Amino acid sequence: MQYEVYEEVEEQPPRFTMPLRNQTVTDGDRAVLRVFFSGVPAPTVTWYFNSQPVRPGQDFQINVDVRRGESTLVIVEVFPEDEGEYMCKAENPLGTAITHCHLFVRSKSTTFSHQRSLLRITPVTPATDPPPVLIVFWN
């Protein structure tokens, strides 16, 4: 005689156990947006950028691991036009869960390198010298 054992799993609506968080990346860098989710049956995960579905491709890679309850959106090389609102939606027959964040892209020109700098201060003698000069060079 053979018996089959079935484990009864309680159905649950989707929820994010680790939601999205705002990020700031530098123009040209890689960005990884990651969520962890749960739900029974396993939810379908969809990513959006400024309310439009993200189309996976060379520049935008979407990974969903239902067993681990993890999904990532990888932007291989970030450009200024990638700045905006990103949303991840998880859906199953019992409901929908949504999380969102803002991706900020800072330009390389606003990123300062402090490796080499020169600060020159000229001492002043009152009434005989011209006003002090402060020169700062950033490389």
Side-chain angles (χ1 to χ4, degrees):
M1 184 178 263
Q2 250 185 28
Y3 294 98
E4 291 187 32
V5 177
Y6 293 98
E7 183 180 335
E8 192 171 314
V9 178
E10 183 180 330
E11 292 187 337
Q12 299 175 350
R15 71 181 188 94
F16 287 100
T17 56
M18 186 183 85
L20 289 170
R21 291 191 171 87
N22 292 345
Q23 287 190 39
T24 301
V25 294
T26 302
D27 184 7
D29 285 355
R30 173 186 183 105
V32 178
L33 305 177
R34 180 183 320 273
V35 296
F36 284 94
F37 59 89
S38 64
V40 179
T44 301
V45 175
T46 310
W47 288 88
Y48 296 85
F49 170 60
N50 290 336
S51 302
Q52 299 299 313
V54 174
R55 306 247 183 264
Q58 260 187 318
D59 299 328
F60 293 86
Q61 301 168 351
I62 297 174
N63 302 299
V64 179
D65 185 336
V66 176
R67 282 189 14 221
R68 289 185 51 172
E70 177 183 15
S71 182
T72 57
L73 170 62
V74 178
I75 307 171
V76 176
E77 184 179 0
V78 174
F79 295 103
E81 57 267 22
D82 297 323
E83 181 168 303
E85 195 75 17
Y86 287 83
M87 180 178 80
C88 185
K89 180 164 65 170
E91 297 178 281
N92 75 8
L94 299 174
T96 301
I98 293 173
T99 180
H100 58 92
C101 71
H102 196 91
L103 181 70
F104 299 93
V105 180
R106 87 178 141 231
S107 70
K108 288 183 180 182
S109 63
T110 60
T111 305
F112 296 106
S113 170
H114 297 287
Q115 292 177 347
R116 292 184 287 159
S117 63
L118 171 66
L119 176 62
R120 184 178 83 195
I121 301 175
T122 306
V124 177
T125 306
T128 59
D129 288 338
V133 176
L134 173 65
I135 301 173
V136 178
F137 296 94
W138 292 99
N139 294 332

